[in-house]
Amino acid sequence: MVQGLSLERTRLKRLHRNVAIAMGNSGDPQFLPQLEQWSVAEDTVLAESSQWALARIRSLTTVPNRQPS
């Protein structure tokens, strides 16, 4: 049972990572708040993917950098 829960957590983390990359590829600034939140996540894979996505969206738009609150 515990192993199953661990596997589900891992799947959810990878799903969030994939969503962050898709958000970045979209170039849509509406995703910035969620990406900013994920960019400081304890999961380093999610945080790094979100930071990449933030940089990508900002490079495609004129949205100023915001510091996470």
Side-chain angles (χ1 to χ4, degrees):
M1 181 84 167
V2 172
Q3 184 179 8
L5 292 175
S6 179
L7 182 59
E8 287 302 315
R9 260 193 310 271
T10 299
R11 286 182 184 160
L12 183 60
K13 288 179 181 181
R14 294 312 108 186
L15 175 64
H16 284 159
R17 173 200 165 269
N18 291 346
V19 169
I21 291 170
M23 288 173 166
N25 285 331
S26 78
D28 191 335
Q30 77 173 347
F31 297 126
L32 292 173
Q34 181 62 61
L35 290 167
E36 288 170 347
Q37 183 179 3
W38 285 347
S39 72
V40 294
E42 287 184 27
D43 176 8
T44 57
V45 173
L46 176 58
E48 290 173 3
S49 298
S50 298
Q51 291 162 11
W52 172 86
L54 286 167
R56 169 103 171 132
I57 292 172
R58 289 179 178 141
S59 75
L60 298 173
T61 63
T62 56
V63 176
N65 287 339
R66 286 186 17 195
Q67 295 297 325
S69 46

